[in-house]
Amino acid sequence: MKNIFIEENGAYSIDCSNAVWATDEIHEDYHNAGMHINDVDFLIENSTHILMVEYKNACLVNAEKPEAFQPMADKKILIAARKFYDSLHYLRLLDKNKLVQYIYILEYPNGDVTTRKRLRNRLKLELPFVLQDNIGNGKKLIDRVDVLSIAEWNAGTS
C-alpha cells in the first residue's frame, strides 16, 4: 500500500496516507549514491511541518540483548543527533523547506516518560536550536524535538 511504511523489524507500520508527502527511502537513496551517513527512518510532510521520524525498539520479542541498548549513552545521543543533520541534506535537495520537527520514537526496557524527557533535553543540546537563535536571522533548521513512546506517538501526545 502506498505510504504505509513498515519499520525495519517488521513489527510496526506507520500510516502516512494522509501526509502531503512521505518517504521511507532515504536510506536506500543514500546507499545508492554511495554515501555512508546516518539517516532517519521516515520523513513525513504535513500542512505545516516536515517530521523526521527515527524509530528504535529494544522491547521486541526477538530483540537481541535489549538490556544492552542504552539510549542515554553519549554515543547513542550523538548518533541520534547526527541522523537529524545527515537527513537535512535530503530535504534540502528535494526543496522541502517547511519547519522541521524531529521525532524519536523510542521503546526500551525500563523506559518511561521521565527518561524520554531527559533524553529529549540532551538531544536539544546537540541539535541547532542555540545556533539558529544566535545566527539564524529568523531562519530555523529545526522547530522542535520530541522523544515519544509508541503509545504517545499513536495518541498524538508530545
Side-chain angles (χ1 to χ4, degrees), residues 57-120:
N57 193 337
C59 291
L60 296 171
V61 174
N62 59 348
E64 289 185 34
K65 301 181 183 179
E67 66 284 349
F69 180 63
Q70 300 296 322
M72 293 296 288
D74 290 344
K75 182 177 179 180
K76 293 293 186 187
I77 292 169
L78 291 175
I79 290 170
R82 179 69 187 248
K83 287 175 181 261
F84 166 83
Y85 290 107
D86 287 356
S87 298
L88 200 57
H89 307 298
Y90 194 87
L91 293 175
R92 295 308 176 244
L93 288 171
L94 294 174
D95 286 328
K96 299 290 184 183
N97 296 310
K98 290 181 180 174
L99 291 171
V100 173
Q101 291 183 356
Y102 184 22
I103 311 293
Y104 189 4
I105 302 171
L106 179 64
E107 294 285 336
Y108 68 102
N110 303 314
D112 60 20
V113 68
T114 302
T115 56
R116 285 189 298 278
K117 286 185 181 194
R118 283 186 24 227
L119 179 55
R120 179 205 59 207

Side-chain angles (χ1 to χ4, degrees), residues 17-35:
S17 55
N18 291 327
V20 172
W21 170 84
T23 188
D24 65 347
E25 296 177 358
I26 184 171
H27 182 78
E28 182 179 335
D29 288 341
Y30 279 169
H31 178 76
N32 290 339
M35 299 174 70

Side-chain angles (χ1 to χ4, degrees), residues 3 7 10 14 22 56 67 72 92 99 124 130 133-134 141 157:
N3 285 346
E7 56 79 33
I14 182 168
K56 291 284 182 230
E67 66 284 349
M72 293 296 288
R92 295 308 176 244
L99 291 171
K124 276 185 175 182
V130 173
D133 288 345
N134 290 346
L141 295 173
T157 304

Side-chain angles (χ1 to χ4, degrees), residues 139-157:
K139 293 181 184 176
K140 288 188 171 187
L141 295 173
I142 188 168
D143 186 47
R144 181 180 180 144
V145 59
D146 286 305
V147 180
L148 306 172
S149 68
I150 292 171
E152 290 166 333
W153 165 261
N154 287 337
T157 304

